[in-house]
Amino acid sequence: MLELLELLKTAEISTVQDVAKTAYAVEILDLGLKYSLKKPSFCGFKNASDLYLSSFSFLSCSSFLNSSSNKSSKTQNQDYRMQEPYKLFELKYSYDALEPYIDAKTVELHYSKHTKTYVDKANEALIGLQKPNITEAQAYELSKQLDDNVGGVLTHQLYFNCLAKSKEKGGTGGVYPTSGAFYEAVKARYGSFDGLKEALKKGGLSRFGSGWVFLHQDLSITTAPNQEWPRGKKPILGIDVWEHAYYLKYQNRRVEYLDNIFYVIDWNYVESLFKS
Ligand code: MN
């Protein structure tokens, strides 16, 4: 994957042939957008490089999120393809597991309604894109719908997987690592896990309107609007700062939500992504 990132930075990828020369051409072509490579502008992408980057991003983040399982990358990519149509990922805990920090009703609505809608809309777009004789305008709309909703699925999969029952309820939520490479790296960059928490809070508060704050494998923090999956980064923690993530319990008080979510962050899981 590093090789691919380097290639994206340096190579001029302006034709289908350029893409075909890369080691990941097969995976890219398997993405379901493959026919649009023949005419990138058809799907609203400025050029082949733009489409390529977008396809690559879906592929890499999808296999990245599955990377804690002990599968070869080949199997991961096969699994990825089998997710079309996409399926709603399983929640690792019950709706009330994150109480009192995130209430059961919010988890239920957020998972079974909001997140499921992204899955349904992504599938609708995939099916639409495969229909013969769609117009260029329809293809543009559908590819945007696919991009937005796959982003929605991936961000929420990361978010829900990064949460767990709090330690006072016998879970791993809120328990900071006390040794190891992740612990040392956080200490070096942020002073402590409390320092990291403050930096993430600051990021989450700075995001105007709906969006996300992410911690990446290189321990940088970025924010993103709406459902934008970070391109060219490997997020290991994602915190949803849309109002639907906290409004029932916290109303407009995003700062209180951001304070309390740290009681249910599953640092074991975050660490597993850091090490992957
Ligand atoms: Mn959300």
Side-chain angles (χ1 to χ4, degrees):
M1 278 299 167
L2 269 179
E3 183 194 337
L4 182 59
L5 279 174
E6 287 309 309
L7 187 75
L8 284 167
K9 275 189 228 154
T10 57
E12 285 209 10
I13 298 165
S14 54
T15 67
V16 182
Q17 285 73 26
D18 291 338
V19 175
K21 278 181 208 159
T22 71
Y24 299 90
V26 173
E27 283 88 333
I28 293 157
L29 293 175
D30 267 328
L31 198 66
L33 293 170
K34 59 184 174 187
Y35 80 97
S36 64
L37 268 170
K38 293 172 195 158
K39 192 181 172 190
S41 64
F42 192 67
C43 277
F45 292 93
K46 286 191 293 294
N47 50 48
S49 170
D50 209 2
L51 171 62
Y52 182 39
L53 189 61
S54 182
S55 308
F56 159 72
S57 180
F58 291 163
L59 260 179
S60 63
C61 49
S62 176
S63 56
F64 180 62
L65 287 176
N66 291 326
S67 63
S68 49
S69 56
N70 295 318
K71 294 172 184 169
S72 71
S73 63
K74 196 179 172 200
T75 314
Q76 282 168 20
N77 286 339
Q78 280 166 354
D79 284 352
Y80 174 70
R81 287 197 289 276
M82 284 161 64
Q83 284 169 20
E84 301 170 8
Y86 297 99
K87 287 195 180 79
L88 181 59
F89 55 87
E90 276 180 40
L91 207 54
K92 300 187 289 188
Y93 38 78
S94 58
Y95 292 146
D96 65 356
L98 308 178
E99 292 269 12
Y101 305 107
I102 304 180
D103 61 288
K105 194 70 193 165
T106 295
V107 175
E108 180 178 356
L109 289 170
H110 200 176
Y111 172 75
S112 71
K113 303 292 182 197
H114 290 278
T115 308
K116 179 157 189 309
T117 301
Y118 295 123
V119 174
D120 293 345
K121 287 282 191 184
N123 285 327
E124 185 185 275
L126 271 176
I127 291 163
L129 280 166
Q130 286 163 45
K131 282 183 185 160
N133 305 325
I134 54 172
T135 66
E136 187 160 344
Q138 285 168 330
Y140 178 87
E141 285 307 315
L142 288 167
S143 62
K144 190 173 179 327
Q145 182 177 326
L146 182 64
D147 190 275
D148 287 345
N149 287 283
V150 169
V153 177
L154 293 173
T155 47
H156 284 82
Q157 187 171 329
L158 179 65
Y159 174 74
F160 284 115
N161 280 341
C162 286
L163 300 177
K165 195 187 284 184
S166 66
K167 63 182 168 194
E168 66 265 29
K169 287 173 75 180
T172 52
V175 180
Y176 292 151
T178 52
S179 63
F182 182 49
Y183 168 80
E184 294 298 338
V186 167
K187 212 173 105 181
R189 178 134 182 186
Y190 293 100
S192 64
F193 274 83
D194 279 333
L196 170 60
K197 173 187 158 179
E198 288 310 311
L200 283 163
K201 260 179 67 184
K202 196 176 158 197
L205 289 171
S206 74
R207 170 46 54 190
F208 181 77
S210 299
W212 290 78
V213 56
F214 296 103
L215 174 69
H216 302 284
Q217 196 175 38
D218 63 6
L219 295 190
S220 63
I221 291 172
T222 64
T223 73
N226 303 319
Q227 296 310 346
E228 258 177 40
W229 183 257
R231 305 286 206 249
K233 286 270 188 183
K234 281 196 171 180
I236 59 174
L237 168 62
I239 300 176
D240 191 342
V241 296
W242 284 59
E243 281 188 342
H244 68 226
Y246 60 87
Y247 200 84
L248 288 183
K249 183 176 173 72
Y250 298 102
Q251 285 81 53
N252 59 318
R253 303 185 302 277
R254 186 187 287 189
V255 64
E256 212 175 300
Y257 159 70
L258 283 172
D259 261 329
N260 283 341
I261 199 170
F262 287 91
Y263 290 104
V264 288
I265 298 273
D266 186 357
W267 293 103
N268 278 344
Y269 184 75
V270 180
E271 185 171 20
S272 75
L273 292 182
F274 175 79
K275 290 198 253 180
S276 67

